[in-house]
Structures are given as structure tokens and as C-alpha cells.
Amino acid sequence: MSFATFVLPLLSGLVPLSALYLLAWRAHLNIGHWPRYMLDDPNNFQFNDPWYDRLDGLTCIADGIGWCCLYASIALTIRFSPQITMRRRIIMVCLFLVSWTVFVHEPNQLFWWRLD
């Protein structure tokens, strides 16, 4: 239980971020530069590249995995709440906030590029 309560909040942000970087890397190989927010629309790329299409689907799946990790960590916290100390809860919340802050505010703005 203790390992899962620390790993699941981290995975909720890092799994979608890693899939997003794979998608951006493939777009980088096709357009010659890293995709930029408000300039390169991820839905309008006509590469005829099957790997880009697969990574696009993987990104959607990774988003779902991230949400499942978030819900699982909340469910574990609720289920084992009498056994979890306040210090561990604070650490869990901090890990979650760090992973999602890195996900949303990463330097290449890939999260915003994908939402574009």
C-alpha cells in the first residue's frame, strides 16, 4: 500500500507527459523543429506517417491511464485513510502537485500545443 500511494500520484502526470513527448518527437522528425503552440496544429499534420498516428492514439490512452492513476490513488487514500498518517498525505499531495505542475508548465508548452 505504501509504495502505491507514492507512485500513483506521480504516474498520473508523468505517463501522459512521456507519451506527449513521444508524439512531439515524432512531429519534430516530420516538420524539422519541435512543435510550437499556436503555430503547429497537431490535428492538421498530414504526414502520412503511421507512427505519428499510433503515437497520437497512445497519447489518448496515456491520458486515460493518468486519470486512472489519479482515481486509484484517491480510492486508496479513502480506503486506507485510518492507516495513512498526515505526513504521508501531505507527501502524496505534494507528489501529485509536482507531477501535474511539470506536466502543465513544461518548457516546450507541449500540453498547450496538444490542446490547440
Side-chain angles (χ1 to χ4, degrees), residues 32-44:
H33 58 82
W34 280 94
R36 295 168 294 190
Y37 173 61
M38 296 294 289
L39 295 175
D40 302 315
D41 190 6
N43 296 325
N44 291 338

Side-chain angles (χ1 to χ4, degrees), residues 32-93:
H33 58 82
W34 280 94
R36 295 168 294 190
Y37 173 61
M38 296 294 289
L39 295 175
D40 302 315
D41 190 6
N43 296 325
N44 291 338
F45 289 151
Q46 299 297 325
F47 300 135
N48 295 325
D49 184 5
W51 281 104
Y52 181 81
D53 295 334
R54 289 180 186 129
L55 289 173
D56 189 32
L58 177 71
T59 303
C60 294
I61 292 170
D63 290 341
I65 290 172
W67 283 107
C68 288
C69 289
L70 174 64
Y71 293 142
S73 67
I74 291 171
L76 282 174
T77 303
I78 291 171
R79 167 65 177 92
F80 296 108
S81 63
Q83 300 170 358
I84 299 175
T85 63
M86 184 57 72
R87 179 176 176 236
R88 183 173 286 176
R89 288 181 195 189
I90 291 171
I91 291 171
M92 289 168 51
V93 169

